[in-house]
Amino acid sequence: MSRGIRFLALALLLAGPGCPQPTDDDAADDDVADDDAVDDDDGGDDDGGDDDDAGLDACTFADPAPAQLQVTEQYRAQAWRADIDGRVHEAPPPVWQSVVLEGGECRYLMLFPGFCDPPCEWGEFCNPDGECEAYPAGVSAGDLTVEGLGDPLTIEEEPQLAGRYSGGDSLPPDLFAAGDPIAASWAGDTFPAVTLDARGVAPMDTDLAETWLVLVGGEDHVVSWTPGDDPEACVELRVNGYNSAHGLPLNNIIWCVGPDDGELTIPGAMVALFPMGTCPIVAVDCPPSELTRYNRQTRETAGGEAAMVVRSTTAFAWEHLAAE
């Protein structure tokens, strides 16, 4: 069955307006706002543009970029921890799920797995249309330097993992404070040199880690938190469903993005589609869902987009109950 027929069948099942087809231009729609509080840096860039006008991204959905860096403070299992994770590919990594519903500040994503016969070769994946594609290879961007987290950190590419950069296990849990200017620079190699600037955000203040997210079939659900003081900070909610087997992509995701105003509403139509049951946090097969406050900056280079997200996230589990 082709992907177009699957979307038509889903639209008829929902008995509502036609569902939007997946798009790949979300990142291009991001408005870039000028912000003098972030230290702009023209050095290290290879895109030939004027970076003085490059500020933080708007609060909107963004597709993966070829070069991605996350600077994270996370509350999980009753403890805070920190992480720096960089991944650089020759092209954007694939998005496994497709958007089937949009409402308010949320999207509902579903997996439509393809079937490839004969099976794909090593290093390939089967796309939803049943065609084998090469998975974008990891590539070096040179050493990564991160400033604004105390002493400057220089992070080399992982020796056995092309394009992977890790801050290690010894980072302090309070890695940054709200408003701290943070700059990250890749020195350049196969992927060109680029400098990204963002700033620290306040810790995410929510009780989701202790109370879980409890959905009731077919009913709107309001997720709330205490807003921070940064008017440009954004908040993202990702409610991760199950997968069909160990290591496979997730079948269902509720994804919401909006300003840091203290409230997001999951539409009841999305709750109704979400799988029933309970999802405690279990590594891969039922990964933690997250409520995240963040600042993000994206810049164009000759090798494609590079993006840095500075974020504070709370991991939580969920339960979906039938309506009474």
Side-chain angles (χ1 to χ4, degrees), residues 35 58 90 95 98 109 116 125 148 154 167 176 191 210 242 291 304:
D35 190 332
E90 61 185 356
V95 177
S98 299
L109 282 62
C116 290
F125 68 95
T154 298
F176 50 76
F191 193 90
E210 285 73 32
Y242 307 108
L291 181 65

Side-chain angles (χ1 to χ4, degrees), residues 158-175:
E158 294 287 323
Q160 303 301 323
L161 294 171
R164 291 292 300 272
Y165 296 80
S166 173
D169 299 325
S170 60
L171 297 170
D174 54 343
L175 192 57

